[in-house]
Amino acid sequence: MAISVAGGVKPAQVTEIEHRLQKQLIVGKGKSIAMADEFDAEMEDDANKLEIEREAIRARLAKQNQAKLVFDAVSKQLLTSVNSSIEQQLSSPEQVLAKSRLDEKQILLLELLYSKHVDLARVRPLVAALPWLERDLANIVNGSSFRHRRPKSSDVQVTDIKLVLNYIGIENLQMLIPYFCLRRMMPSGQPQMLWLTRKLWRYSVVSSIAALALAELHEKDKAFIYSCSLMSQLGATCVINQCANTFDDMWGEWLREASASRDKELYDAVMATEFPANDVYQQVLSHSRSLNWQLLRLLNFDNSRLTQTYKAIDTSMKYAELDQDSALIERASCFAKVYLLHEAGNISAAERRLMFDYYRVTEQEQVRLSAQNFRKLVLF
């Protein structure tokens, strides 16, 4: 008879499976399955061109022993400098926050939107104080897919934020604002970051769809569960962004110096040096979960429901010790990990059963989750 591991101290095999998914997102070379709300489609050509150029340089260096030695030495030195700078920056949550795209207005907005009685009069000035969010919401209202929801003057561009929010409505804002907040947090930088961003975004969307489905099934607070699940990649995105920005800055500086020196071997060595995804993966494992709540505490949201949930998920030794909200979000995350690993052919049936057993994902929940469309988050 099989021994259940449900809810106790997390088995090493469960941890390994979870790390496997994280590595697939950050290090894996495979490109994410296309979704209906892709990022920066125009960057794809640039990403492919840079990848092809680097591969060509590495192939040429491999045939030239001396040039290969130069590449190995230069690349190692560059990445050592990058990793040293990253280690220093990530040692302090205050430094991470200072370089992030997160501020208290975004968190306060999320809190207002999952409160029992949402007051648009309080939401409106916060949206207006975030020009990128105001623009994104106005674009939704003025887009062709939304115009049929508006009155007769549907050809008139809506710019007044009060009208924009009223047209969208509270329930849709509860979906859209966390969505746009996370999109803004997603990693950017060199074109090669596009693949990583798409994979991380897809994991976030699959998790949030699963969380919504479970919240509906168990009649829980959908607005909170959705926001909390979607924003649970906050720490990971901050770590990756910091790493990407540090690499971009140093790589660009070294490339300019190599170009100025007119040393082709040096220039090729710098040009062929790739973003240190394996090292970044280790940093994400070390810092992301704790940063989820530490960043919110630094913004003075110590008693926020979001902060308490993220801290519980990070610090609880056993799944069985989690409160109902935290447990539901962890079950949604478990399903998303299994779903994406299965999609990539990277998990066995026995491992899938182990994950569902540990996180106590019931047969009823599996049936409900299996019926969801994980290709698109339905926002309105």
Side-chain angles (χ1 to χ4, degrees), residues 275-319:
F275 179 71
N278 271 301
D279 297 319
V280 173
Y281 156 69
Q282 294 296 334
Q283 297 291 1
V284 169
L285 291 185
S286 298
H287 299 287
S288 60
R289 284 168 70 102
S290 57
L291 281 172
N292 275 345
W293 58 272
Q294 289 173 348
L295 294 177
L296 300 189
R297 288 184 64 179
L298 289 172
L299 291 171
N300 298 315
F301 286 93
D302 305 57
N303 298 318
S304 165
R305 193 174 168 192
L306 275 177
T307 308
Q308 296 303 315
T309 301
Y310 291 147
K311 186 175 181 181
I313 289 171
D314 178 42
T315 58
S316 295
M317 296 296 293
K318 300 177 181 178
Y319 171 79

Side-chain angles (χ1 to χ4, degrees), residues 35 37 174-175 178-179 182 200-216 222-233 328-329 331-337 369 372-374 376-379:
M35 296 188 67
D37 51 358
Q174 289 173 326
M175 298 286 287
Y179 173 91
L182 182 63
L200 191 62
W201 177 251
R202 184 146 193 268
Y203 170 65
S204 301
V205 170
V206 171
S207 294
S208 63
I209 292 172
L212 263 178
L214 292 178
E216 289 175 351
K222 291 195 298 182
F224 172 75
I225 295 297
Y226 164 76
S227 286
C228 193
S229 176
L230 196 61
M231 293 299 290
S232 64
Q233 292 306 303
L328 190 151
I329 288 163
R331 290 204 301 283
S333 177
C334 163
F335 183 85
K337 290 167 183 171
L369 291 169
Q372 304 303 307
N373 176 11
F374 290 104
K376 180 175 174 59
L377 181 59
V378 180
L379 296 170

Side-chain angles (χ1 to χ4, degrees), residues 37 132-150 157-158 164-165 167-169 172-173 175-177 179-180 183 376 379-380:
D37 51 358
W132 53 270
L133 180 57
E134 185 175 8
R135 182 185 63 248
D136 287 341
L137 294 174
N139 287 342
I140 288 285
V141 171
N142 291 309
S144 57
S145 63
F146 198 91
R147 288 191 178 184
H148 70 279
R149 298 167 176 264
R150 289 166 44 188
Q157 291 283 305
V158 179
V164 168
L165 298 182
Y167 279 139
I168 293 175
N172 290 328
L173 288 171
M175 298 286 287
L176 284 167
I177 287 179
Y179 173 91
F180 284 131
R183 276 181 72 105
K376 180 175 174 59
L379 296 170
F380 56 82

Side-chain angles (χ1 to χ4, degrees), residues 151-202:
K152 295 177 182 177
S153 56
S154 59
D155 291 334
V156 178
Q157 291 283 305
V158 179
T159 57
D160 181 81
I161 189 58
K162 183 175 182 180
L163 284 177
V164 168
L165 298 182
N166 285 336
Y167 279 139
I168 293 175
I170 290 171
E171 287 191 7
N172 290 328
L173 288 171
Q174 289 173 326
M175 298 286 287
L176 284 167
I177 287 179
Y179 173 91
F180 284 131
C181 285
L182 182 63
R183 276 181 72 105
R184 182 167 173 78
M185 298 292 297
M186 279 286 139
S188 59
Q190 286 209 12
Q192 77 228 34
M193 291 299 294
L194 179 65
W195 313 129
L196 189 161
T197 298
R198 284 182 174 176
K199 289 185 289 182
L200 191 62
W201 177 251
R202 184 146 193 268

